């Protein structure tokens, strides 16, 4: 008799649990699903196998922790950074939001000057071309999103963050475009102002000298 009385309650409980999703150990109610409706589940964030993520040196681990902490501090202190991240970084893994792709210097195989092919000053320095090796999980689309995210964050910070002064993406006015080529994953860095171009190129070249450190 007792079992018969509990049966409707158990059915209701099962239905309630079935209509929940779990986030951080907490149940969150989902809207009822209509018969025949296909529920779209977003794919998990792409994890890129950068060398400094897979097997970081002691120094790289410390640098990564410092960059993550700095990004968190910027986020807490600046509504502009939070807005920029919401628009340009949505869906990226935390490290791709907080850490510039150019931090992963051990995956850089080449840096070349980018020079104008025409115009009034053919041959003038326009920026740099940085080539990464082909890294597992890294596509041109993903890299472009990470580049755009970093540029948006630097704009929001007004290029004033001391912890990114080594990064080519932290130069005022820089533009970045990723492309998969036969040589690897190339990033073209350009700017309009001559001083910005020079600084962008200098920072890119410095990354080569910092490999293995």
């Amino acid at each position: 008799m007792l079992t018969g009385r509990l049966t409707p309650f158990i059915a209701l409980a099962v239905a309630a649990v079935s209509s929940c999703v779990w986030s951080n150990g907490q149940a969150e109610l989902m809207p009822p699903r209509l018969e025949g409706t296909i529920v779209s589940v977003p794919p998990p964030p792409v994890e890129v196998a950068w060398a400094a993520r897979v097997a970081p040196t002691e120094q790289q681990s410390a640098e990564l922790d410092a960059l993550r902490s700095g990004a968190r501090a910027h986020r807490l202190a600046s509504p502009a950074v939070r807005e920029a991240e919401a628009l340009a970084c949505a869906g990226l893994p935390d490290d791709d939001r907080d850490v510039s792709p150019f931090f992963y210097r051990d995956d850089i195989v080449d840096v070349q000057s980018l020079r104008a092919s025409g115009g009034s000053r053919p041959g003038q320095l326009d920026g740099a071309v940085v080539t990464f090796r082909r890294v597992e999980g890294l596509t041109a689309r993903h890299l472009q999103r990470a580049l755009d995210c970093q540029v948006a964050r630097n704009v929001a910070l007004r290029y004033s963050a001391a912890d990114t002064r080594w990064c080519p993406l932290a130069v005022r006015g820089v533009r970045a475009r990723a492309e998969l080529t036969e040589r690897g994953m190339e990033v073209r860095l350009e700017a309009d102002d001559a001083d910005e171009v020079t600084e962008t190129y200098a920072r890119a070249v410095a990354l080569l000298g910092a490999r293995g450190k």
Side-chain angles (χ1 to χ4, degrees):
M1 181 68 69
L2 181 60
T3 303
R5 291 179 181 177
L6 286 177
T7 299
F9 172 78
I10 293 172
L12 287 172
V14 170
V17 172
S18 299
S19 66
C20 294
V21 293
W22 296 86
S23 176
N24 297 322
Q26 301 296 321
E28 298 178 0
L29 288 176
M30 292 176 60
R33 184 169 61 183
L34 299 177
E35 188 67 28
T37 300
I38 298 176
V39 179
S40 177
V41 178
V46 175
E47 292 294 339
V48 179
W50 296 111
R53 285 190 193 174
V54 176
T57 65
E58 186 175 340
Q59 178 179 333
Q60 288 169 339
S61 292
E63 290 175 349
L64 279 168
D65 286 342
L67 288 171
R68 292 167 184 143
S69 296
R72 184 164 53 250
H74 297 319
R75 189 176 305 119
L76 292 173
S78 172
V81 170
R82 294 195 294 273
E83 181 178 0
E85 290 181 344
L87 292 173
C89 310
L92 286 174
D94 289 351
D95 267 359
D96 288 336
R97 176 197 62 199
D98 296 346
V99 181
S100 166
F102 290 107
F103 170 80
Y104 304 104
R105 49 194 179 265
D106 287 352
D107 295 299
I108 294 174
V109 296
D110 191 33
V111 175
Q112 296 288 332
S113 61
L114 179 63
R115 299 194 176 271
S117 57
S120 59
R121 295 177 57 192
Q124 72 174 345
L125 183 66
D126 277 350
V129 180
V130 180
T131 304
F132 291 91
R133 69 178 180 89
R134 297 197 179 197
V135 179
E136 182 181 354
L138 183 64
T139 64
R141 182 178 183 276
H142 183 87
L143 180 55
Q144 187 65 58
R145 288 214 59 217
L147 295 167
D148 292 343
C149 169
Q150 293 301 312
V151 170
R153 293 185 75 254
N154 288 320
V155 171
L157 289 166
R158 299 182 181 181
Y159 306 95
S160 62
D163 52 359
T164 58
R165 287 179 181 165
W166 54 269
C167 180
L169 298 175
V171 177
R172 186 180 300 275
V174 73
R175 300 182 299 277
R177 189 176 79 232
E179 181 182 3
L180 179 62
T181 70
E182 292 181 356
R183 301 175 65 225
M185 196 69 71
E186 288 188 355
V187 178
R188 293 169 61 93
L189 298 164
E190 300 178 77
D192 295 323
D193 180 83
D195 291 338
E196 295 164 358
V197 168
T198 300
E199 180 64 19
T200 299
Y201 178 67
R203 293 187 187 192
V205 170
L207 295 172
L208 284 176
R211 290 181 299 178
K213 298 181 180 179

